[in-house]
């Protein structure tokens, strides 16, 4: 391959890597397959409901098929050191027994097949990691649902010209925040904040509907005013005006003043 050709291939390859690196949670794994990193944080609880005074905090890499590529500790060990030193020997048995490797190749659906008794005296640790991985999968699914809700407010091009750049900024910002959050509660908080802001922006279709409502309201106002003095002979016209008013939305009804409505 000529040097210029090699340079082009490398340039394209690097630019693609750069673009992917802009999306939180995604990275290149061995063999150039795209992996996704999800996070789990869960209190350790025995089968009888007893809390062990520490939590398991891990990150999990999964491939495009949802299979676990790797599991790594974030700060479980340090949490045990601070709050549950009596549990440290059992966690060390799990780590030294290559407990994280038990989950490689598993999916959310096959995690239940992992033998939690595979490492002697590390059953609680193995269970807690398994449950935390399940929690990570659940959190990620909920985040994807939130991202789909964000997409329902796009694309930015559907907003009126003066609001488009703001819409684009809000959508981009909340997607980054949702993706980077380990806790789904924080991700939801970001979404609600985003929703409150973007609902104040106007889409082109909303402006069109508002104009239609105003026009319908003006027509209704004219129909009521044109009734003149109300008599029995005008029953049909009065009923028509009432039907027109009842059909208006809140925006259209604003065009009908209080004085006109009293008639």
């Amino acid at each position: 391959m000529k040097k210029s050709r090699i340079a082009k291939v490398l340039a394209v390859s690097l630019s693609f890597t750069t673009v992917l690196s802009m999306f939180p949670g995604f990275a290149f794994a061995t063999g150039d397959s795209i992996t996704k990193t999800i996070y789990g944080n869960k209190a350790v609880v025995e089968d009888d409901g007893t809390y062990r005074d520490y939590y398991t905090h891990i990150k999990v890499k999964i491939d495009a098929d949802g299979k676990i590529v790797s599991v790594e500790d974030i700060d479980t060990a340090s949490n045990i050191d601070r709050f549950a030193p009596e549990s440290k020997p059992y966690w060390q048995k799990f780590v030294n027994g290559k407990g994280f490797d038990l989950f490689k190749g598993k999916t959310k659906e096959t995690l239940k097949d992992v033998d939690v008794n595979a490492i002697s005296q590390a059953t609680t640790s193995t269970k807690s990691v398994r449950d935390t991985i399940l929690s990570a999968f659940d959190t990620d699914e909920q985040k994807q649902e939130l991202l789909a809700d964000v997409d329902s407010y796009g694309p930015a091009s559907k907003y009126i010209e003066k609001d488009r750049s703001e819409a684009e900024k809000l959508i981009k910002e909340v997607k980054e925040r949702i993706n980077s959050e380990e806790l789904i509660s924080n991700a939801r908080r970001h979404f609600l904040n985003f929703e409150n802001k973007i609902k104040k922006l106007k889409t082109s279709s909303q402006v069109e509907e508002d104009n239609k409502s105003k026009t319908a309201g003006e027509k209704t106002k004219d129909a009521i005013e044109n009734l003149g003095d109300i008599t029995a002979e005008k029953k049909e016209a009065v009923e028509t005006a009432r039907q027109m008013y009842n059909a208006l939305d809140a925006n259209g009804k604003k065009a009908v003043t209080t004085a006109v409505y009293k008639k």
Side-chain angles (χ1 to χ4, degrees):
M1 189 182 289
K2 293 181 179 180
K3 285 187 178 179
S4 60
R5 171 69 173 158
I6 294 172
K8 285 181 181 177
V9 171
L10 285 172
V12 171
S13 175
L14 286 171
S15 63
F16 185 51
T17 306
T18 303
V19 169
L20 282 172
S21 69
M22 294 169 65
F23 293 89
F26 287 89
F28 275 108
T30 307
D32 287 339
S33 62
I34 298 174
T35 64
K36 180 179 186 179
T37 303
I38 59 178
Y39 299 89
N41 189 334
K42 194 172 178 66
V44 178
V45 186
E46 297 282 5
D47 289 340
D48 62 2
T50 303
Y51 280 84
R52 300 297 296 174
D53 295 329
Y54 72 96
Y55 60 78
T56 308
H57 188 192
I58 58 175
K59 64 179 178 180
V60 185
K61 283 187 179 179
I62 56 175
D63 64 18
D65 296 321
K67 289 183 179 179
I68 296 172
V69 176
S70 67
V71 183
E72 298 176 41
D73 183 32
I74 295 179
D75 63 8
T76 309
S78 60
N79 193 253
I80 291 173
D81 284 342
R82 291 174 62 196
F83 302 110
E86 71 282 357
S87 296
K88 186 173 182 178
Y90 305 106
W91 178 254
Q92 282 298 324
K93 286 180 183 293
F94 170 80
V95 174
N96 295 338
K98 298 189 183 300
F100 288 125
D101 289 347
L102 294 172
F103 303 98
K104 284 184 179 179
K106 299 296 183 184
T107 64
K108 180 183 178 183
E109 291 71 27
T110 59
L111 276 170
K112 62 181 181 296
D113 298 334
V114 171
D115 181 7
V116 295
N117 299 306
I119 303 171
S120 178
Q121 295 186 307
T123 299
T124 296
S125 297
T126 307
K127 278 183 179 178
S128 68
V129 171
R130 180 198 62 190
D131 293 345
T132 307
I133 293 173
L134 283 169
S135 174
F137 273 110
D138 287 339
T139 295
D140 185 63
E141 288 172 4
Q142 292 176 61
K143 282 163 62 174
Q144 296 313 308
E145 290 172 3
L146 282 178
L147 291 172
D149 288 338
V150 172
D151 283 336
S152 71
Y153 285 97
S157 58
K158 78 179 186 180
Y159 292 85
I160 58 175
E161 190 171 353
K162 77 177 184 67
D163 287 343
R164 282 176 196 166
S165 60
E166 179 66 10
E168 189 170 16
K169 184 190 83 171
L170 289 174
I171 291 169
K172 180 176 181 292
E173 183 181 79
V174 75
K175 281 187 171 183
E176 290 175 348
R177 286 179 177 274
I178 289 172
N179 266 317
S180 63
E181 284 293 355
E182 292 185 31
L183 299 178
I184 189 61
S185 57
N186 286 346
R188 287 199 189 96
R189 177 171 52 79
H190 291 313
F191 174 75
L192 290 174
N193 186 44
F194 155 80
E195 194 174 45
N196 288 335
K197 289 179 179 178
I198 204 163
K199 279 184 175 179
K200 295 175 182 177
L201 307 182
K202 287 280 188 180
T203 64
S204 300
S205 59
Q206 283 175 327
V207 171
E208 186 178 344
E209 285 299 315
D210 287 347
N211 289 335
K212 286 181 181 177
S213 295
K214 289 175 184 176
T215 301
E218 291 296 338
K219 287 181 178 178
T220 302
K221 177 184 174 185
D222 291 343
I224 296 172
E225 288 181 329
N226 291 337
L227 289 172
D229 294 332
I230 305 302
T231 63
E233 288 75 18
K234 293 182 178 178
K235 178 184 177 183
E236 187 175 338
V238 170
E239 288 177 344
T240 298
R242 163 56 67 181
Q243 289 168 3
M244 290 173 68
Y245 181 81
N246 289 343
L248 295 175
D249 59 17
N251 195 44
K253 287 178 179 177
K254 289 178 183 177
V256 182
T257 63
T258 303
V260 172
Y261 177 74
K262 283 181 178 179
K263 180 174 284 191

